[in-house]
Amino acid sequence: MRVHKYGDHVDTDVIIPARYLASQDEKELASHCMEDIDKDFHAKVKAGDVIVAGLNFGCGSSREHAPLAIKASGIKCVIAKSFARIFYRNAINIGLAILECPEAAENIQDNDELEINFDTGLIVDKTQNRNFQAEPFPEFIKKMIEDGGLMKSLRAKKA
Amino acid sequence: MAMTMTQKILAGHADLDEVHAGQLIQAKLDLVLGNDITTPVAINEFNAAGFEKIFDKSRVVFVMDHFTPNKDIKSATQCKQCRLFAKKFGLENFFDVGTMGIEHALLPEQGLVAPGDAVIGADSHTCTYGALGAFSTGVGSTDMGAAMAVGYTWFKVPAAIKVNVSGHKRKYVSGKDVILTLIGITGVDGALYKSLEFSGDGLKELTMADRLTISNMAIEAGAKNGIFPVDDITKEYLNGRLKRKYEAFYPDDDAEYERVINLNLDEIDCTVAFPHLPENARPAKSPENKNIRIDQIVIGSCTNGKIEDMQAAAEIFKSSGRKLADGVRGIVIPATQSVYRECIKRGYTEIFLDAGCVVSTPTCGPCLGGHMGCLAAGERCVSTTNRNFVGRMGHVDSEVYLASPAVAAASGIAGHIAHPEEVM
């Protein structure tokens, strides 16, 4: 899991600019993900990578296209010092793992290799040989993310 | 246990006698809102989950306002999807081109929101209705899709920040200057997850238009909601609009606030938020602002597209007797059909046209770089909208300066960022 690192207040307008919101196609959204802040993101991101950022990640619009674009890019988890509240809710609802961990967000560097244990919240930075402890999700949210989001989880419950 | 306004509303909607900050609750909803960008995703989720009914056809509201009148085939397809769904389920409040306005200007105007309501909308500026004493907050499309079906959702009960307003409003100062000043104090995440609760003697100075603008931008401080107590100003606004009974909620005297911010209106002058965050609040009156040449002004949006906003801008053009400076493009967008009509009746439209502006049908268009006024690289815009993030209104190398309608009009006349006094 390789790290793509960004600063504070990464907003939904740079995660997925509104000019692409006439589409609901995840692949198309992913192809423009982060392009206004990091135009090479789409070319360099690989399935299983991680975004690490500062304060208030995902601030701004309520567009669910933002976590969708990140997830469809192959990003496995976003680690930040804090998240904007609508983004936080949306990410869980669509099944994108997010971890609030100021210490990890401060110290992990761009291109570091990570390993994350979602059961325990342990983040291992293999490049720096350092561990960080995030609060793990409660069981029902972990289940929701595993099922692929709120609606899929509701369906799984029904079945 | 002492509760804030927000906590009382949430407790009532959760059928609980009391709630406390941090508590997870399931709350009934009075209104579920979506627009032409967020609703299609909600409909897909609704369908994929196998729902066959909506909880109440009078309480699910769709407003086609973002990319309308449709800017391209994709946005037309999204509106068509919403239109077909609204028809299939008999939605009583589906607002299409011809009846639509910018959602957060339209719903209060139409009397669809009452004090004490709990409202969610798949649009971050849904927090606007706190001006009416309602709890309202933005969510994503999946939350909207589920709420359309079941009529309730989960919330974490927020802690609160009290904003104590005192003093008297100065000439040319409006709600926009107040909220930009406040965000300058809190920062864009200073109220993260919390409610902003307004109080104090100074509230009587704030018109309903001021309050709607202030609550609208609570999200730019990170807040979950921003709420005003119901008073005579609220009641006068609701009179003749609201067709149902409501209950107003007031905070307990000993309600708990994590922080108290004092805002003295005497000390607030016209304010501009510089790129690229709404927290970069600076005085409109500053010698250096003369060096900030601008290419465009936009007067409109859910934040500042009301008739009072049109009036403030029109009065600057009229009383200065001046037009837009050479090379400045002026885009005026009344937020609803009735604001549009009123602008014609009162002669504002003619004033805007005489000044060299264009006057558009309601749309969110330029605020989010959608259409009707996108910016090229290197261009600057003074805009009455709510966000000045990188690339918000177009090219990543363009710049957005947030201001009130009076400041936007004055800046358009001056050709640079200007306080209204400078063009009189």
Side-chain angles (χ1 to χ4, degrees):
Chain A
M1 303 173 95
R2 200 164 61 89
V3 169
H4 305 268
K5 189 161 184 183
Y6 303 97
D8 292 340
H9 311 302
V10 172
D11 62 76
T12 53
D13 280 293
V14 294
I15 295 171
I16 183 72
R19 57 185 177 274
Y20 304 119
L21 295 186
S23 173
Q24 307 158 36
D25 180 66
E26 289 182 9
K27 283 203 181 93
E28 192 180 336
L29 292 172
S31 71
H32 299 293
C33 187
M34 308 298 276
E35 75 176 24
D36 282 0
I37 192 176
D38 180 1
K39 61 178 171 25
D40 303 325
F41 179 79
H42 180 62
K44 69 187 180 187
V45 67
K46 292 201 169 59
D49 283 358
V50 176
I51 286 177
V52 176
L55 296 167
N56 202 24
F57 185 88
C59 62
S61 143
S62 67
R63 63 189 71 153
E64 208 158 286
H65 312 68
L68 278 173
I70 291 175
K71 189 181 174 195
S73 295
I75 290 290
K76 178 81 179 163
C77 176
V78 182
I79 299 169
K81 288 183 188 169
S82 62
F83 291 91
R85 61 161 282 277
I86 304 178
F87 182 91
Y88 190 88
R89 213 178 154 105
N90 287 347
I92 291 171
N93 281 343
I94 66 136
L96 171 68
I98 48 177
L99 292 172
E100 217 168 61
C101 185
E103 198 196 353
E106 179 71 38
N107 291 293
I108 293 171
Q109 298 303 319
D110 201 27
N111 288 322
D112 282 4
E113 277 293 329
L114 303 187
E115 244 174 46
I116 302 171
N117 183 327
F118 290 102
D119 290 326
T120 61
L122 185 74
I123 303 165
V124 179
D125 186 327
K126 295 195 288 189
T127 310
Q128 298 186 37
N129 202 14
R130 261 181 98 166
N131 293 351
F132 304 98
Q133 185 62 52
E135 183 86 23
F137 277 127
E139 204 54 45
F140 82 99
I141 288 189
K142 210 163 60 195
K143 180 82 179 40
M144 205 188 291
I145 290 171
E146 276 167 16
D147 288 340
L150 171 67
M151 290 298 198
K152 288 194 182 118
S153 181
L154 288 177
R155 244 175 302 161
K157 237 188 252 175
K158 251 198 261 176
Chain B
M1 191 186 153
M3 289 190 282
T4 64
M5 281 183 273
T6 299
Q7 289 163 357
K8 284 186 181 178
I9 295 171
L10 288 176
H13 284 80
D15 289 326
L16 296 169
D17 292 331
E18 57 176 47
V19 295
H20 58 265
Q23 185 177 347
L24 286 169
I25 57 160
Q26 197 152 276
K28 285 181 286 194
L29 298 167
D30 296 294
L31 218 58
V32 177
L33 166 72
N35 59 48
D36 53 309
I37 289 179
T38 57
T39 303
V41 181
I43 291 173
N44 294 347
E45 292 289 335
F46 179 98
N47 290 337
F51 289 120
E52 281 156 7
K53 279 186 187 152
I54 57 164
F55 84 104
D56 186 335
K57 61 187 180 182
S58 69
R59 293 179 184 273
V60 175
V61 182
F62 295 173
V63 186
M64 306 294 98
D65 59 357
H66 275 62
F67 291 161
T68 50
N70 291 134
K71 72 184 184 94
D72 54 20
I73 295 166
K74 280 183 178 172
S75 60
T77 308
Q78 299 212 128
C79 282
K80 185 177 176 186
Q81 186 185 358
C82 299
R83 199 174 291 127
L84 292 175
F85 185 95
K87 193 160 187 195
K88 178 176 172 191
F89 289 94
L91 294 198
E92 290 168 15
N93 293 297
F94 174 68
F95 295 96
D96 208 339
V97 172
T99 57
M100 71 86 176
I102 297 175
E103 50 194 327
H104 310 307
L106 186 70
L107 267 55
E109 179 193 285
Q110 297 287 318
L112 289 171
V113 183
D117 278 359
V119 179
I120 62 165
D123 187 279
S124 59
H125 293 108
T126 303
C127 49
T128 307
Y129 319 128
L132 301 170
F135 168 79
S136 63
T137 194
V139 296
S141 295
T142 298
D143 277 326
M144 179 195 169
M148 284 178 354
V150 299
Y152 58 82
T153 195
W154 65 271
F155 293 113
K156 195 175 190 180
V157 177
I161 295 174
K162 182 175 181 169
V163 182
N164 202 18
V165 183
S166 64
H168 301 276
K169 222 167 40 174
R170 292 158 68 167
K171 193 174 183 187
Y172 300 122
V173 166
S174 69
K176 187 61 163 287
D177 306 294
V178 175
I179 187 64
L180 291 178
T181 301
L182 179 61
I183 297 165
I185 294 168
T186 61
V188 292
D189 61 349
L192 202 54
Y193 307 123
K194 298 184 180 58
S195 35
L196 288 171
E197 301 219 355
F198 295 89
S199 71
D201 286 349
L203 296 191
K204 62 180 182 300
E205 289 275 310
L206 299 175
T207 63
M208 192 46 65
D210 289 329
R211 297 175 189 192
L212 287 161
T213 300
I214 292 169
S215 289
N216 173 272
M217 287 189 71
I219 175 75
E220 310 318 329
K224 186 169 204 154
N225 66 318
I227 187 167
F228 282 80
V230 173
D231 62 8
D232 290 344
I233 294 171
T234 327
K235 288 174 193 162
E236 197 193 320
Y237 179 85
L238 293 172
N239 191 16
R241 295 178 197 273
L242 189 66
K243 306 285 188 290
R244 56 191 164 100
K245 285 189 181 150
Y246 66 86
E247 188 182 354
F249 294 88
Y250 300 93
D252 289 320
D253 291 338
D254 52 347
E256 202 176 307
Y257 295 97
E258 285 195 350
R259 182 180 175 191
V260 176
I261 297 172
N262 292 308
L263 280 184
N264 183 350
L265 295 173
D266 293 310
E267 292 167 6
I268 296 177
D269 198 359
C270 294
T271 303
V272 178
F274 278 45
H276 288 287
L277 286 175
E279 69 185 24
N280 296 332
R282 299 190 203 171
K285 196 190 289 176
S286 158
E288 291 129 51
N289 288 351
K290 285 202 168 48
N291 304 325
I292 304 173
R293 307 296 307 178
I294 62 168
D295 304 282
Q296 181 168 296
I297 59 167
V298 170
I299 297 169
S301 84
C302 61
T303 313
N304 281 124
K306 298 173 286 291
I307 191 64
E308 294 84 351
D309 300 311
M310 299 295 124
Q311 181 179 2
E315 279 174 1
I316 299 292
F317 285 117
K318 192 178 178 191
S319 50
S320 69
R322 294 169 65 180
K323 299 180 180 210
L324 291 172
D326 276 351
V328 177
R329 310 181 295 269
I331 299 166
V332 180
I333 309 180
T336 67
Q337 290 289 82
S338 84
V339 176
Y340 189 88
R341 191 187 292 274
E342 194 65 19
C343 281
I344 295 171
K345 269 197 208 163
R346 296 194 194 178
Y348 300 160
T349 303
E350 192 157 355
I351 293 171
F352 295 135
L353 295 175
D354 286 345
C357 299
V358 297
V359 182
S360 158
T361 183
T363 180
C364 306
C367 172
L368 70 164
H371 64 147
M372 284 298 295
C374 294
L375 299 173
E379 290 194 321
R380 291 198 183 110
C381 179
V382 175
S383 180
T384 69
T385 53
N386 42 55
R387 294 197 172 118
N388 54 355
F389 300 148
V390 170
R392 172 74 178 178
M393 289 181 73
H395 196 278
V396 289
D397 296 327
S398 61
E399 292 183 346
V400 180
Y401 294 76
L402 303 175
S404 70
V407 171
S411 303
I413 291 166
H416 55 77
I417 291 170
H419 190 284
E421 283 170 8
E422 295 170 47
V423 299
M424 290 301 162

